[in-house]
Amino acid sequence: MLQNLEDLKNEFSTALNEVKDQSSLVNLKADFLGKKGKLNNILKSLKDATPEVRKTLGMKSNQLKETILADIEKKMTALELFEINERLKKNWQDITYRSSLRDQGLTAAGYHPVTIIQREIEDIFTSMGFEILDGPHIENEYYNFEALNIPDTHPARDMQDTFWFKDMKHLLRTHTSCIQARGMEKRTPPFKFIGPGKVFRCEATDASHEAAFHQLEGMMVGKDISVANLIYFMKTLLSEIFRKEVNVRLRPGFFPFVEPGFELDIECLICGGSGCSVCKQSGWVELLPCGMVHPNVLRHGNVNPDEYNGFAFGLGLDRLVMMRYGIDDIRHLHSGNLSFVSQFKTF
Ligand code: DAH
């Protein structure tokens, strides 16, 4: 009978080696250890044996049972792992950025057109001695409104639909003019800087409006700065950007932080002035609000308005990009569509 147990052990080993999947393993277990299984069959015949034989054989068969159970468990773990790996091999998908680019037929990355324009403008202004400043997207009321001569009660606060945080003290900056307020505090005149960045407005989107877009703020403060200086810098900027003389017009415009304030429009480069969806059929695109810095703004920035003055402007970068590349819907810029972006300058 001992021989029977030994044979059973060998039979099990051979059978276990042949098992290739989990369900066969479950069957094998039932075959050997189940109620009507092979081991029980041997044990049944024990009833006729002497007590000593029964004792040794009982022990031996228990040991065999334990060995079989342990082997089955080991094999089960190995099979699980194997099956997971097989599934992974079959369903393997490269979800990395690089391969998704390749799937879209893109072999080289490119800069976003807003980045291209922003860098060009930065180059133009640094070559004219301007610094480049940055500022936080999450602002407080002071820098977004108060320091810019927009007090609590001022109707101009309605002009900008604001994304407020729950505390009603913090907000997503509605314009890059906050960079003016922060920049002035840390400088003594004369100074000049630009501040590009993302801004946020809680408004419905259409071909020319987005809730998140880009502005580039500019400020120059010194002695005897005039509107003529402002116009000079703006014209230099625009002719460099568009690489040609563009038609501009200046209209009076109201912004609490400048006095006088202007709207500088350029003739629509998409339709050449005949009217399209970008210029809302008017032939002109509002591109550059600007003006002479309001004395209150200078005061908030610790600049004495009796001694110094300056100009400021806030350029809408997305519109500029649209004009430059002939893009007729601002929403393309935020589409995240890689085929769109790859049309521009590659690295
Ligand atoms: N902050 C204004 C806006 O978001 C734009 C602006 C207008 C900026 C006139 C200026 C300025 O610096 O002088 O609409």
Side-chain angles (χ1 to χ4, degrees):
M1 224 177 294
L2 260 179
Q3 188 53 45
N4 283 352
L5 283 180
E6 205 46 45
D7 289 348
L8 191 67
K9 192 176 174 186
N10 291 336
E11 191 187 337
F12 173 75
S13 298
T14 320
L16 188 69
N17 272 339
E18 277 162 20
V19 163
K20 293 275 178 292
D21 56 54
Q22 294 183 49
S23 65
S24 320
L25 188 61
V26 171
N27 289 342
L28 184 76
K29 187 178 171 185
D31 224 14
F32 280 81
L33 302 181
K35 241 190 203 160
K36 293 182 184 159
K38 294 185 174 170
L39 186 62
N40 259 352
N41 276 347
I42 296 179
L43 291 177
K44 266 181 215 153
S45 54
L46 268 182
K47 62 182 186 323
D48 304 326
T50 62
E52 293 86 69
V53 172
R54 218 185 294 167
K55 200 175 160 198
T56 6
L57 278 180
M59 225 173 60
K60 289 270 177 210
S61 61
N62 266 340
Q63 278 173 359
L64 180 58
K65 190 177 169 184
E66 293 302 315
T67 317
I68 290 181
L69 275 175
D71 283 356
I72 286 182
E73 203 159 312
K74 244 204 308 204
K75 181 88 178 191
M76 188 57 97
T77 313
L79 280 177
E80 272 168 8
L81 201 71
F82 175 77
E83 286 181 20
I84 288 174
N85 282 335
E86 281 300 295
R87 234 179 299 143
L88 280 177
K89 256 194 250 167
K90 242 198 280 162
N91 303 333
W92 186 84
Q93 248 187 21
D94 185 353
I95 53 162
T96 55
Y97 187 58
R98 189 185 282 265
S99 87
S100 74
L101 280 174
R102 202 171 41 227
D103 287 349
Q104 291 181 46
L106 301 174
T107 49
Y111 284 116
H112 192 280
V114 171
T115 306
I116 297 173
I117 290 274
Q118 183 182 320
R119 291 190 180 177
E120 274 181 33
I121 299 177
E122 287 175 1
D123 279 352
I124 295 167
F125 277 100
T126 40
S127 76
M128 296 192 288
F130 282 68
E131 286 177 81
I132 301 170
L133 305 189
D134 200 3
H137 289 174
I138 298 175
E139 265 296 2
N140 57 39
E141 276 185 276
Y142 178 75
Y143 288 111
N144 199 81
F145 295 122
E146 217 171 302
L148 294 163
N149 198 37
I150 316 175
D152 239 2
T153 51
H154 202 289
R157 289 210 187 194
D158 297 336
M159 277 166 39
Q160 293 165 341
D161 292 4
T162 307
F163 287 111
W164 286 95
F165 281 77
K166 276 199 182 125
D167 66 4
M168 288 307 281
K169 288 189 167 62
H170 290 87
L171 49 91
L172 290 179
R173 72 176 177 204
T174 59
H175 51 185
T176 44
S177 301
C178 325
I179 299 175
Q180 280 186 32
R182 288 179 177 275
M184 267 189 298
E185 273 180 353
K186 297 203 177 71
R187 284 168 180 74
T188 46
F191 54 77
K192 46 189 186 296
F193 56 76
I194 56 167
K198 249 191 180 58
V199 300
F200 309 87
R201 304 255 176 103
C202 184
E203 58 183 12
T205 60
D206 60 28
S208 51
H209 292 91
E210 264 284 15
F213 52 101
H214 303 84
Q215 289 186 335
L216 187 138
E217 197 75 13
M219 182 175 224
M220 178 172 186
V221 171
K223 283 191 196 282
D224 303 321
I225 309 271
S226 71
V227 176
N229 296 127
L230 168 62
I231 293 171
Y232 167 77
F233 279 104
M234 298 306 99
K235 280 210 105 174
T236 307
L237 168 67
L238 293 173
S239 54
E240 292 251 3
I241 289 290
F242 294 111
R243 298 180 184 124
K244 64 172 181 186
E245 282 289 309
V246 289
N247 292 329
V248 299
R249 71 179 185 190
L250 215 56
R251 291 180 288 122
F254 171 70
F255 304 96
F257 25 93
V258 281
E259 181 57 40
F262 307 105
E263 288 283 5
L264 191 142
D265 300 341
I266 65 163
E267 197 171 58
C268 183
L269 296 173
I270 302 262
C271 61
S274 59
C276 67
S277 70
V278 171
C279 62
K280 297 206 188 82
Q281 315 306 327
S282 72
W284 293 91
V285 178
E286 221 175 88
L287 197 64
L288 232 173
C290 51
M292 302 305 291
V293 184
H294 195 289
N296 286 347
V297 175
L298 292 172
R299 274 186 210 105
H300 277 298
N302 302 323
V303 175
N304 180 357
D306 297 328
E307 215 179 325
Y308 298 103
N309 68 343
F311 68 74
F313 61 91
L315 184 62
L317 283 186
D318 309 72
R319 293 236 178 113
L320 199 60
V321 167
M322 291 165 76
M323 289 284 110
R324 158 93 164 254
Y325 293 108
I327 299 164
D328 62 0
D329 194 321
I330 192 170
R331 289 166 292 194
H332 287 307
L333 298 178
H334 290 257
S335 63
N337 183 341
L338 292 171
S339 324
F340 170 77
V341 178
S342 69
Q343 298 173 66
F344 306 94
K345 196 162 105 189
T346 48
F347 293 135

